[in-house]
Amino acid sequence: MIIHNKADILIPHWCMGKPAALDLSVTSPLNPLTLLEAGVTAGAAAKATEERKLKANTGKCADLGWVCVPVVAESYGAWGLTARDFFSKLGSRLATSLGVKSWSP
């Protein structure tokens, strides 16, 4: 949750020089609001929570010059698309900064 000028985690210089405000959440696919969709589509509860977090916080973050990044996990282990994208970018940036070459298993 982004309140005033506080984020769960704030990463400076994330996207085009702007900080990323990470909004961390865990949600349940058994939530009555998402139960039907979650029973059909894996990650539906995480997606709904991401959308709610973006709607609530994107404007607040923009006012502070931040990028809003909801990082949502479902209680049964699925991660939201925004979270997976964030972890992929974070891994790439860490590998680049550490000089790690790409590898294949």
Side-chain angles (χ1 to χ4, degrees):
M1 175 185 300
I2 310 299
I3 301 176
H4 303 291
N5 60 348
K6 304 212 184 229
D8 291 330
I9 298 174
L10 188 65
I11 300 176
H13 312 292
W14 178 252
C15 179
M16 301 181 88
K18 293 183 178 182
L22 304 187
D23 187 358
L24 310 177
S25 299
V26 177
T27 190
S28 173
L30 301 179
N31 180 327
L33 298 174
T34 58
L35 182 60
L36 291 176
E37 181 68 25
V40 176
T41 307
K47 180 181 177 184
T49 301
E50 284 178 341
E51 290 171 354
R52 182 174 50 81
K53 296 286 190 170
L54 285 169
K55 183 177 179 182
N57 295 316
T58 298
K60 295 175 196 175
C61 287
D63 290 346
L64 296 166
W66 299 349
V67 176
C68 180
V69 181
V71 178
V72 181
E74 290 185 0
S75 56
Y76 291 125
W79 287 90
L81 182 59
T82 305
R84 288 180 287 172
D85 182 56
F86 167 76
F87 289 127
S88 177
K89 288 178 182 174
L90 180 64
S92 292
R93 291 177 186 190
L94 285 172
T96 299
S97 70
L98 296 172
V100 175
K101 306 228 187 241
S102 62
W103 61 279
S104 20

